[in-house]
């Protein structure tokens, strides 16, 4: 180890994996992972969300899975809970859409309206 | 670096390991592989979570689900439900966290709520065998800061300002100790970490080493820089194989990462650490005996002065610090003395780790701010005595400490307060006793320990403690006199004043404190030949009550023919013949025989 900077870089890298063990976070992203969710492709959605959140060091976002959400035809479903605002439910999500949710909703706080359950029902 | 979506933390502390946590971890790994989740889920072995009573413990993140009393059989179900489908298996969660509709997070469980974790901050949080997890938790940042931004004098001043006192028992200011060694000129100086931990019932230091070994290494390097030492030794008992193993891995990884060795942080400072195994003699925890043991001699205490800071290991300036003391140091450097003083009391800042044991519901490891009342530790965190038994006493400070009563429960714990009431902080053992414990027997237990462990160098300790033990034996056998009680007290005071080292100087404390607070129990043994708690075997009496139906069963079962009586008449036990085997009491179907 030659400098404090080198150590700090190592820390930034290492934090990404371990950050998950801190449960005290403001934003929760929940992915439905019961049988229908998994068969509709929820697993890659979940892993994409985890990776994107870690890559961007979003320390206040927790990505968890849950069981049946109750809307099997709309799977994969992703719900975003924030402390102050109402829950946002995204439906028919795939890994690419998941990336957009991270960059637009979680980073910039702009809901990706076209993926939400509201616009899905209108169609 | 690979990112996992979920982490399964399995406790690999000594407590949980002894109840097979290694097999549980192995089953998780197998099952996760079977389910094709091994790319997504990481299984990690950690140090002690503290709540050993509820072990083996498994915590699953990101949810932070706290599974208690785990078994290998439960693993598959948890994998299929929780890990695969995201459904937490409530029935296996720690009781308290699943009692209400909403699952309680770990930090709000009673056991953890009042704790403040500084020395234990990484225990049960990181994988102690992976240096990158320590680094992720700001590991080695304090060393980096010290080496690149501070002079040795500034480091010592900062530690002094924090008010940190030695957690190994004596409570001496750590900064002062370092400042004594720093100015001494020598071709070689040493830093020693005392991980001997000889108190029966204590396992604080073991847990720190098992759960967070790098914190100790980092602190030793900081101490080395502060006093100008380039070499460190960790003296740890051979009975701590897991701790030794993790330390070895930690030292190896620190060397590979360039955090131990030559020219650290390009500062020109070199530091290396070696492990020395102790054979487990209690006296070897005493600093002068410990150094002799490292030098390869028989561990015996010697007179001070000279102090280790002037003439220590191989005659060179040396500082010796306890594991827990050291574990606080990196945090103090990073957060500053003001932060450290923001918890604890004015005279004893910071926190203290205690090993809770004896008659208490939540045996385990707790860390609380100094100044926390005994009551909070024993009741709020420890959950009180099991089976609704009444609390009687708490023993702090191990064989050097004393017993305190319910009258002391509201005392804020710190060094001065405990000493003032005749006990000691000691290293942090805390053994709770209930109505079923005999205080004379407890005093005897600790004295028996010190008699065994006395190194034999000085007479008061070698002979005096033996004489005390003989008197205690007499008392527990019902042969004691009131003069014996006085003699016991006089001997005790004498030994305290004239012994050469701390072992002898504190050995009488358990006797003195029980004599002071539980004299009535001693007197019951002496005057009434009665053990109020019903512990001392030779004072027990088996008695047949009026409930006797005269069935003759007991008379036939008694191995020494001590029971007499006619059919259908109340039987009687001849106390002179009875050998107190208890067979009659077990045999009587009418519960007519009692023990008093
Ligand atoms: C009989 C006896 C046993 C001791 N055992 C230990 C021990 O197991 N661990 C420990 O850290 N200190 C023990 N000590 C205290 C050490 O002598 C020394 O004070 C301590 O390691 C200094 O570190 P500290 O200032 O960080 O507390 C013992 C002292 C005596 C008299
Ligand atoms: S007090 Fe006991 S342990 Fe200490 S030097 Fe004397 S005999 Fe040895
Ligand atoms: S076994 Fe019980 S009931 Fe029968 S004689 Fe003995 S004490 Fe009496
Ligand atoms: S305790 Fe044992 S020895 Fe005494 S009376 Fe009962 S059976 Fe006999
Ligand atoms: S199983 Fe997925 S919503 Fe019902
Ligand atoms: S050893 Fe597992 S909780 Fe203490």
């Amino acid at each position: 180890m030659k400098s404090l900077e080198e150590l700090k870089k190592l820390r930034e890298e290492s934090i990404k994996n371990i950050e998950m063990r801190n449960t005290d976070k403001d934003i929760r992203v929940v992915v439905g992972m019961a049988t229908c969710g998994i068969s509709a492709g929820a697993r890659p959605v979940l892993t994409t969300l985890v990776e994107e959140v870690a890559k961007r060091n979003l320390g206040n976002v927790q990505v968890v899975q849950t069981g049946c959400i109750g809307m099997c035809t709309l799977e994969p479903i992703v719900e975003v809970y924030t402390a102050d605002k109402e829950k946002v439910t995204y439906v028919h999500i795939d890994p690419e859409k998941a990336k957009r949710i991270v960059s637009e909703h979680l980073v910039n706080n702009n809901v990706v309206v076209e993926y939400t359950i509201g616009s899905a029902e209108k169609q | 670096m690979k990112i996992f979506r979920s982490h399964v933390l399995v406790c690999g502390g000594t407590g949980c390991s002894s109840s097979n946590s290694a097999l549980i971890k192995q089953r998780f790994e197998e099952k996760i592989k079977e389910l094709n989740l091994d790319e997504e889920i990481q299984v990690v072995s950690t140090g002690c979570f503290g709540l050993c009573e509820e072990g083996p413990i498994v915590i699953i993140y990101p949810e932070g689900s706290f599974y208690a009393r785990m078994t290998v059989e439960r693993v598959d179900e948890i994998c299929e439900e929780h890990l695969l489908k995201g459904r937490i298996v409530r029935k296996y969660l720690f009781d308290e966290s699943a009692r209400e509709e909403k699952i309680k997070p770990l930090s709000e469980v009673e056991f953890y709520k009042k704790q403040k974790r500084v020395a234990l901050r990484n225990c049960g949080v990181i994988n102690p065998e992976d240096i990158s997890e320590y680094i992720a938790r700001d590991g080695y940042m304090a060393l980096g800061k010290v080496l690149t931004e501070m002079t040795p004098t500034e480091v010592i001043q900062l530690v002094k300002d924090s008010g940190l006192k030695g957690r190994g028992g004596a409570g001496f200011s750590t900064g002062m100790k370092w400042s004594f060694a720093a100015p001494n000129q020598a071709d070689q100086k040493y830093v020693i970490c005392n991980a001997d931990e000889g108190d029966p019932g204590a396992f604080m230091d073991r847990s720190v080493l098992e759960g967070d070994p790098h914190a100790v290494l980092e602190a030793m390097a900081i101490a080395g820089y502060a006093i100008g030492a380039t070499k460190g030794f960790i003296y740890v008992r051979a009975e701590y194989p897991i701790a030794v193993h993790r330390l070895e891995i930690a030292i190896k990884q620190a060397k590979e990462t360039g955090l131990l060795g030559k020219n650290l942080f390009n500062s020109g400072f070199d530091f290396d650490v070696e492990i020395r195994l102790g054979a487990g003699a209690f006296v070897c925890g005493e600093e002068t005996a410990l150094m002799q043991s490292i030098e390869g001699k028989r561990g015996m205490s010697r007179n001070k002065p000279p102090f280790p800071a002037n003439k220590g290991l191989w005659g060179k300036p040396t500082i010796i610090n306890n594991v827990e003391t050291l574990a606080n140091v990196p945090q103090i450097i990073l957060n500053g003395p003001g932060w450290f003083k923001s918890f604890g009391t004015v005279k004893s800042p910071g926190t203290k780790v205690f090993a809770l044991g004896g008659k208490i519901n939540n045996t385990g490891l707790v860390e609380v701010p100094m100044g926390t009342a005994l009551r909070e530790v024993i009741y709020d965190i420890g959950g009180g005595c099991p089976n609704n038994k009444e609390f009687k006493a708490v023993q702090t400070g191990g064989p050097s400490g004393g017993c305190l009563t319910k009258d002391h429960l509201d005392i804020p714990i710190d060094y001065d307060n405990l000493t003032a009431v005749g006990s000691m902080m000691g290293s942090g053992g805390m053994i709770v006793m209930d109505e079923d414990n005999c205080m004379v027997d407890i005093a005897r237990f600790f004295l028996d320990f010190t008699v065994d462990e006395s190194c034999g160098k000085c007479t008061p300790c070698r002979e005096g403690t033996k004489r005390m033990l003989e008197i205690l034996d007499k008392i527990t056998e019902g042969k004691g006199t009131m003069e014996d009680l006085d003699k016991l007290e006089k001997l005790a005071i004498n030994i305290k004043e004239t012994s050469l080292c701390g072992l002898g100087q504190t050995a009488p404390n358990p006797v003195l404190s029980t004599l002071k607070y539980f004299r009535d129990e001693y007197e019951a043994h002496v005057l009434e030949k009665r053990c109020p708690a019903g512990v001392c075997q030779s004072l027990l009496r088996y008695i047949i009550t009026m409930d006797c139906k005269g069935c003759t069963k007991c008379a036939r079962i008694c191995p020494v023919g001590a029971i007499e009586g006619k059919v259908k008449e109340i039987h009687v036990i001849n106390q002179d013949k009875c050998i107190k085997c208890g067979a009659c009491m077990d045999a009587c179907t009418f519960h007519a025989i009692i023990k008093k």
Side-chain angles (χ1 to χ4, degrees):
Chain A
M1 197 62 59
K2 287 295 154 229
S3 67
L4 210 49
E5 273 53 55
E6 196 185 331
L7 182 65
K8 279 183 184 154
K9 249 172 69 196
L10 198 55
R11 178 181 66 179
E12 294 322 313
E13 266 310 295
S14 311
I15 262 178
K16 291 186 177 139
N17 188 38
I18 206 171
E19 181 55 39
M20 168 180 302
R21 296 180 206 162
N22 173 7
T23 50
D24 186 20
K25 307 201 164 157
D26 301 333
I27 304 176
R28 279 179 67 223
V29 181
V30 179
V31 185
M33 287 280 279
T35 316
C36 78
I38 293 172
S39 59
R43 186 164 303 286
V45 170
L46 176 66
T47 42
T48 305
L49 285 168
V50 171
E51 275 160 22
E52 290 296 308
V53 164
K55 218 190 287 173
R56 293 163 202 267
N57 283 331
L58 301 180
N60 65 338
V61 179
Q62 187 190 42
V63 183
V64 293
Q65 52 170 345
T66 187
C68 174
I69 293 175
M71 301 175 286
C72 305
T73 52
L74 300 176
E75 291 276 13
I77 299 173
V78 172
E79 295 174 325
V80 178
Y81 293 84
T82 30
D84 46 337
K85 283 199 214 98
E86 250 176 64
K87 167 180 90 175
V88 177
T89 304
Y90 293 108
V91 299
H92 295 310
I93 296 303
D94 60 26
E96 282 314 307
K97 292 181 181 168
K99 280 187 192 159
R100 253 190 83 190
I101 293 174
V102 174
S103 59
E104 294 182 22
H105 189 164
L106 303 184
V107 177
N108 293 324
N109 207 8
N110 293 324
V111 177
V112 191
V113 180
E114 51 185 296
Y115 301 160
T116 58
I117 187 163
S119 45
E121 276 166 352
K122 265 182 227 139
Q123 284 167 14
Chain B
M1 172 159 294
K2 205 167 159 26
I3 305 295
F4 295 90
R5 71 164 168 87
S6 179
H7 297 188
V8 178
L9 273 61
V10 182
C11 179
T14 295
C16 294
S17 294
S18 64
S19 43
N20 277 332
S21 64
L23 290 178
I24 292 169
K25 175 171 180 248
Q26 191 190 337
R27 186 59 206 155
F28 265 111
E29 283 164 342
E30 288 164 5
K31 187 70 191 174
I32 285 172
K33 209 167 175 106
E34 264 171 49
L35 295 172
N36 271 324
L37 296 174
D38 51 324
E39 290 291 307
E40 300 169 24
I41 297 173
Q42 186 187 33
V43 184
V44 180
S45 175
T46 70
C48 174
F49 288 105
L51 199 48
C52 312
E53 178 73 22
E54 292 289 327
I57 283 168
V58 170
I59 298 187
I60 297 183
Y61 289 103
E63 299 89 345
S65 309
F66 185 38
Y67 291 105
R69 296 184 196 264
M70 271 297 291
T71 59
V72 175
E73 290 69 42
R74 292 178 179 179
V75 171
D76 287 16
E77 190 178 343
I78 291 179
C79 288
E80 279 157 13
E81 285 296 305
H82 186 158
L83 297 179
L84 187 65
K85 299 185 181 157
R87 294 198 282 250
I88 295 173
V89 190
R90 278 184 94 103
K91 62 183 174 193
Y92 298 150
L93 289 182
F94 173 56
D95 253 1
E96 194 192 323
S97 60
R99 211 171 284 153
E100 287 149 38
E101 171 64 21
K102 185 177 174 313
I103 293 173
K104 251 194 208 173
L106 213 52
S107 52
E108 279 169 34
V109 166
E110 288 295 328
F111 181 78
Y112 292 104
K113 216 161 64 183
K114 289 205 168 170
Q115 296 199 42
K116 170 78 202 164
R117 300 194 145 211
V118 179
L120 298 178
R121 72 189 278 272
N122 288 329
C123 287
V125 179
I126 64 166
N127 176 356
E129 297 182 11
D130 182 351
I131 193 172
S132 74
E133 296 206 354
Y134 180 64
I135 290 173
R137 303 264 300 165
D138 298 335
Y140 290 103
M141 292 298 286
L143 179 63
K145 175 174 169 190
V146 159
L147 292 183
T148 55
E149 295 170 7
M150 293 171 81
T151 65
T153 320
E154 285 168 349
V155 176
I156 292 176
Q157 192 58 45
L158 191 153
V159 175
K160 258 191 203 169
D161 290 345
S162 76
L164 174 66
K165 291 181 179 181
R167 305 297 196 234
F172 190 78
S173 154
T174 304
M176 291 289 273
K177 191 183 271 189
W178 294 10
S179 74
F180 296 150
N184 292 329
Q185 296 298 324
D187 52 349
Q188 180 71 60
K189 298 185 193 180
Y190 298 102
V191 173
I192 298 177
C193 167
N194 187 344
D196 192 53
E197 198 165 54
D199 298 20
F203 53 94
M204 301 74 58
D205 296 346
R206 183 188 75 202
S207 301
V208 172
L209 294 177
E210 284 176 359
D212 198 13
H214 284 286
V216 174
L217 298 180
E218 181 180 5
M220 287 177 76
I222 292 170
Y225 176 70
I227 69 157
T230 55
K231 183 119 194 98
F233 288 99
I234 302 180
Y235 186 84
V236 54
R237 45 181 50 219
E239 290 105 316
Y240 283 0
I242 301 178
V244 172
H245 178 68
R246 300 230 167 109
L247 271 175
E248 282 166 351
I249 294 176
I251 292 174
K252 182 164 166 279
Q253 292 183 351
K255 282 186 179 162
E256 286 165 2
T257 322
L259 291 161
L260 281 179
K262 297 244 174 291
N263 193 19
L264 304 176
F265 289 92
N266 224 355
S267 65
F269 173 68
D270 308 335
F271 196 76
D272 256 317
V273 176
E274 276 182 48
I275 301 174
R276 284 289 181 272
L277 297 185
F282 181 56
V283 73
C284 285
E286 195 281 329
E287 51 193 22
T288 60
L290 185 152
M291 291 188 300
Q292 304 235 335
S293 176
I294 292 185
E295 291 172 10
K297 302 183 196 136
R298 185 169 159 213
M300 273 197 169
S301 308
R302 63 156 173 81
N303 264 317
K304 286 184 277 190
F307 287 96
N310 301 320
K311 263 184 172 1
L313 196 58
W314 289 295
K316 308 291 183 192
T318 303
I319 55 164
I320 301 190
N321 275 124
N322 164 263
V323 171
E324 188 188 332
T325 314
L326 290 170
N328 279 295
V329 169
Q331 291 309 305
I332 292 174
I333 303 273
L334 287 180
N335 302 308
W339 165 82
F340 192 68
K341 287 199 278 198
S342 71
F343 29 86
T345 62
V346 176
K347 278 185 156 176
S348 306
T351 59
K352 180 76 193 85
V353 182
F354 292 98
L356 273 182
K359 303 287 183 59
I360 188 141
N361 277 312
N362 301 331
T363 49
L365 204 64
V366 309
E367 180 170 359
V368 290
M370 295 273 191
T372 304
L374 277 167
R375 183 186 303 283
E376 290 174 84
V377 176
I378 293 169
Y379 287 94
D380 300 347
I381 299 174
C385 300
N387 307 319
N388 290 322
K389 294 270 182 181
E390 196 183 331
F391 166 88
K392 186 188 219 168
V394 54
Q395 216 277 351
T396 65
S400 320
C403 289
L404 302 174
T405 70
K406 4 182 211 309
D407 297 339
H408 301 118
L409 281 177
D410 291 312
I411 290 182
I413 305 171
D414 72 5
Y415 291 93
D416 302 321
N417 288 344
L418 289 184
T419 310
V421 289
S423 186
M424 261 189 39
M425 178 78 86
S427 53
M430 199 178 266
I431 303 174
V432 177
M433 285 158 260
D434 68 9
E435 49 190 299
D436 292 338
N437 287 103
C438 165
M439 300 314 289
V440 184
D441 184 60
I442 295 288
R444 205 199 147 280
F445 167 82
F446 283 111
L447 202 62
D448 192 36
F449 176 85
T450 35
V451 167
D452 264 357
E453 297 289 339
S454 165
C455 82
K457 189 169 180 176
C458 68
T459 322
C461 167
R462 185 185 63 234
E463 298 300 326
T465 53
K466 268 204 203 95
R467 295 293 92 80
M468 283 179 70
L469 186 61
E470 284 165 10
I471 298 177
L472 283 178
D473 279 337
K474 250 176 97 182
I475 296 174
T476 53
E477 285 162 12
K479 296 175 191 148
T481 62
M482 289 306 277
E483 288 80 71
D484 282 336
L485 294 189
D486 294 337
K487 219 195 276 172
L488 197 60
E489 199 158 2
K490 280 209 192 93
L491 253 173
I493 294 170
N494 213 306
I495 294 169
K496 270 176 82 89
E497 282 168 359
T498 54
S499 288
L500 186 144
C501 85
L503 192 149
Q505 287 158 10
T506 57
N509 285 350
V511 174
L512 281 172
S513 66
T514 47
L515 260 177
K516 184 165 169 198
Y517 298 123
F518 299 95
R519 201 175 175 93
D520 52 328
E521 280 194 40
Y522 279 86
E523 287 177 354
H525 284 73
V526 170
L527 297 173
E528 303 164 41
K529 309 293 175 208
R530 186 174 65 86
C531 172
V535 171
C536 299
Q537 275 292 331
S538 25
L539 294 182
L540 279 183
R541 289 155 150 263
Y542 286 85
I543 295 170
I544 299 180
T545 66
M546 302 301 281
D547 294 335
C548 172
K549 301 276 183 279
C551 75
T552 75
K553 195 172 171 191
C554 61
R556 280 178 280 127
I557 221 159
C558 174
V560 292
I563 305 181
E564 282 164 24
K566 296 206 180 86
V567 185
K568 297 203 175 155
E569 283 178 16
I570 291 184
H571 282 48
V572 187
I573 297 176
N574 179 341
Q575 297 297 339
D576 293 336
K577 273 196 187 168
C578 172
I579 55 164
K580 290 148 188 162
C581 71
C584 55
M585 187 161 123
D586 295 338
C588 177
T589 27
F590 304 99
H591 304 292
I593 304 182
I594 56 167
K595 195 166 73 167
K596 253 174 96 173

